[in-house]
Amino acid sequence: MFFIASTCFAIIMAVIIFNFRMKETREPVTTKKIIIPPLAMSTGFLQFVIPAFHITWTEAGEAFLVGIMFSIFLIMTSKFEIKGDHVYLVRSKAFIFIIIGLFAIRLALKWYIGSTISIFETSSLFFIVAFGMILPWRLAMLVLFNKKKNEIAL
């Protein structure tokens, strides 16, 4: 029952992320808009205060590395362009397919791993995968954004 509920929640989150990304392409990008998502998400590490959510450092490291591998696809679709005095994120046609593909892979892994470890440990692992995905992606976006911003200043 939990996996059905968490899968529905994950689908809702994927739709929200997609809509957020589409909105990002209509408004100028700012440093604040790039760094707030990983900072806000980092509050999720508070779950590790509860012993049921504890996992080993090795598991956490592996989950983070999987997230980094997933982030490569997101980084590849993050391009910026200058319009007037502002920098905008360019809408990528591949983004929706990448999000759906990453979601499907994550879901399959969650179902497989969730059948061997507790719900809480599964939650911990996939939070770290998600954080490992968003942190490098947003850092890469920040670097690319600053390069474009510097072009405006010249």
Side-chain angles (χ1 to χ4, degrees), residues 20-38:
F20 179 74
R21 178 68 185 261
M22 291 302 107
K23 182 182 174 207
E24 278 184 320
T25 62
R26 292 188 297 264
E27 300 174 357
V29 178
T30 64
T31 301
K32 186 175 160 181
K33 288 180 181 180
I34 293 172
I35 63 172
I36 285 179

Side-chain angles (χ1 to χ4, degrees), residues 132-146:
M133 213 165 51
I134 196 170
L135 184 64
W137 175 38
R138 290 300 175 143
L139 288 173
M141 284 178 70
L142 187 61
V143 168
L144 295 171
F145 169 73
N146 284 330

Side-chain angles (χ1 to χ4, degrees), residues 4-71:
I4 293 170
S6 66
T7 300
C8 290
F9 180 73
I11 291 169
I12 291 167
M13 290 304 295
V15 169
I16 289 170
I17 289 168
F18 179 74
N19 286 330
F20 179 74
R21 178 68 185 261
M22 291 302 107
K23 182 182 174 207
E24 278 184 320
T25 62
R26 292 188 297 264
E27 300 174 357
V29 178
T30 64
T31 301
K32 186 175 160 181
K33 288 180 181 180
I34 293 172
I35 63 172
I36 285 179
L39 289 177
M41 189 178 174
S42 67
T43 61
F45 283 106
L46 288 173
Q47 71 182 323
F48 294 106
V49 170
I50 302 168
F53 289 93
H54 291 184
I55 56 175
T56 67
W57 284 104
T58 303
E59 292 168 332
E62 290 169 349
F64 193 75
L65 286 174
V66 168
I68 289 172
M69 288 188 309
F70 285 174
S71 76

